[in-house]
């Protein structure tokens, strides 16, 4: 077992994990790059170890550097957070081979679910409905590819088997554009993910992004923790999330949740995970599984009252789940706004020093962040600097609390997307709930047209 955890990540999630470790009496080692040297949040850990230059490839993504830091510092477990090495089967295997605990599922599960083609196959075998399209990877033969698209019916979406983070996807609306789009996506996939394998599925016109959080121990027990709606997206990336997904029949939701847990048992999954679905016309279609903690996990924590990171650590320690499915309740509603250091109009990230940092507070308000006044945002990483989460007895109350929280959140020195979030909260379609994944981009276009 372990008493010291190395946190192989940075920023808000490193702080989040450190706190959960401390609550369980575990010691922590944080790794950092030269780009994060001197960051105040590193002081929370019992030890901080520099693992390389600012460029992620030479630090947070350097498997050997992270593993050596763990071995040298006496940590017996590694928590990968999200992004970076969190869904890298090779890394998970190397950690296990070194005699340490990888806080996450087995390398086999990560590899299987990380390959979206294999994941779809596994889900279909487990009886989880998937987006229409063939099960296997796209062949090289052009005529075959054209035939597959014609069978699915346009528009189709071409996706990289190894893709992630909203990249490696291309929508094709007509026959004449297909082959060119396949070639470009294949090249992108080869370069970005080191895997040229592609697959094709129906591009759904007005779906919502609805996902299910699961939690499984190493003794064959699993539960699902309700739904989240992450339909507010820009360029396939989530901007604002909520729990539960509004307006979906509870019976249907439960059937899908139970299926997800069964699928976990089927593949021998343990740890936390998320099944992502597109939801359209009352039907759920599986798109992928994330085999790690997700950015938006706090909305589920707020509605269920379950500390997901603490549970993740407990199951990694080999404990049996102490929560039964019948204990899981979803109370009220929670929202999360991702606050990025970026221009609210152009979305271009801006690094710089935060000169004023006044956080909101009050009942039902939670802020997950690593930033303080005087913090210098490095240019090398994701631009997210905080997550504002609000909880209320109803969705309307969570919305009202979010409006006040964002209005009382004052940041100076760098520009942020706070003004954009405040405008989104005033959008009547969003206020009504249940907008589709294309809504935000259409709304932004309209807004740009007006200004
Ligand atoms: P990633 O791993 O890069 O996040 P996903 O497969 O989860 O990729 O898809 C991300 C987003 O892309 C979805 O939330 C959805 O908005 C959009 N998307 C993916 N597949 C489809 C599809 N078949 N039809 C319509 N939109 C899709």
């Amino acid at each position: 077992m372990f008493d010291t955890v190395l946190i192989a990540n940075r920023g808000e999630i490193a702080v989040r994990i450190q706190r959960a470790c401390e609550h369980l009496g575990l010691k922590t080692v944080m790794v950092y790059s030269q780009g994060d040297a001197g960051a105040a949040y590193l002081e929370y850990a019992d030890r901080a170890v520099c693992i390389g230059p600012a460029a992620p490839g030479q630090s947070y993504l350097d498997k050997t550097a992270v593993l050596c830091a763990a071995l040298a510092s006496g940590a017996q477990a590694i928590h990968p957070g999200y992004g970076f090495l969190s869904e890298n089967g090779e890394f998970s295997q190397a950690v296990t081979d070194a005699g340490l605990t990888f806080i996450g599922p087995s390398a086999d599960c990560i590899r299987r679910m990380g390959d979206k083609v294999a994941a779809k196959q596994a889900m279909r075998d487990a009886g989880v409905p998937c987006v229409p399209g063939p099960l296997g990877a796209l062949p090289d033969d052009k005529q075959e590819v054209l035939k597959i698209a014609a069978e699915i019916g346009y528009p189709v979406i071409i996706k990289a088997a190894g893709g992630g983070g909203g990249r490696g996807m291309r929508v094709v609306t007509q026959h004449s554009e297909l082959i060119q789009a396949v070639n470009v996506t294949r090249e992108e996939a080869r370069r970005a993910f080191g895997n040229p394998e592609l697959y094709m599925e129906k591009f759904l016109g007005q779906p919502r992004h609805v996902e299910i959080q699961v939690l499984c121990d190493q003794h064959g027990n699993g539960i699902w923790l309700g739904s989240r709606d992450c339909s507010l997206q820009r360029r396939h990336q989530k901007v604002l999330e909520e729990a539960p997904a509004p307006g979906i029949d509870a019976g249907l939701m439960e059937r899908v949740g139970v299926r997800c847990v069964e699928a976990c048992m089927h593949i021998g999954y343990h740890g936390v995970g998320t099944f992502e679905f597109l939801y359209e016309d009352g039907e759920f279609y599986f798109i992928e599984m994330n085999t790690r903690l997700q950015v938006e996990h706090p909305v589920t924590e707020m509605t269920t009252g379950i500390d997901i990171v603490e549970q993740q650590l407990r199951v990694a320690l080999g404990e049996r789940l102490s929560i039964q499915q019948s204990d899981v309740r979803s109370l009220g509603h929670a929202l999360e706004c991702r606050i990025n250091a970026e221009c609210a109009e152009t979305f271009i990230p801006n690094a710089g020093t935060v000169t004023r940092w006044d956080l909101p507070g009050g009942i039902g308000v939670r802020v997950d962040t690593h930033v303080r006044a005087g913090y210098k945002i490095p240019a090398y990483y994701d631009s997210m600097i905080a997550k504002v989460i609000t909880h209320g007895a109803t969705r309307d109350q969570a919305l009202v609390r979010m409006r006040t929280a964002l209005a009382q959140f004052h940041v100076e020195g760098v520009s942020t997307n706070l003004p954009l979030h405040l405008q989104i909260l005033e959008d009547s379609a969003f206020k009504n709930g249940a907008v589709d994944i294309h809504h935000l981009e259409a709304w932004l276009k309209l807004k740009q047209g007006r200004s």
Side-chain angles (χ1 to χ4, degrees), residues 121-155:
Q121 241 146 15
M123 286 306 106
R124 209 169 277 187
D125 290 349
V128 177
C130 299
V131 181
L135 272 186
L138 275 187
D140 287 327
D141 184 277
K142 290 190 182 84
Q143 290 312 317
E144 276 298 308
V145 172
L146 287 164
K147 204 170 127 213
I148 292 169
E151 272 164 18
I152 299 174
Y154 291 90

Side-chain angles (χ1 to χ4, degrees), residues 116 131 157 159 163-167 169 201-204 207 209 233 236 276 278 287-288 437:
K116 294 180 175 189
V131 181
I157 184 166
K159 299 167 85 170
R167 294 177 310 144
M169 279 182 271
E201 57 190 28
K202 177 87 187 152
F203 181 70
L204 301 179
H209 175 117
Q233 301 180 356
H236 306 303
E276 297 192 331
L278 293 178
I287 42 173
E288 68 159 342
I437 57 168

Side-chain angles (χ1 to χ4, degrees), residues 7 14-24 44 367-369:
I7 301 167
V15 175
R16 172 73 190 89
I17 297 163
Q18 189 281 330
R19 287 184 177 138
C21 289
E22 193 161 328
H23 295 163
L24 288 178
Y44 292 147
V367 183
D368 281 18
T369 184

Side-chain angles (χ1 to χ4, degrees), residues 323-345:
I323 310 161
Q324 316 250 312
Q325 191 64 57
S326 54
D327 301 331
V328 179
R329 298 265 178 281
S330 178
L331 281 179
H333 206 92
L335 300 166
E336 174 183 276
C337 290
R338 297 188 186 196
I339 311 304
N340 299 333
E342 66 187 17
C343 170
E345 268 88 47

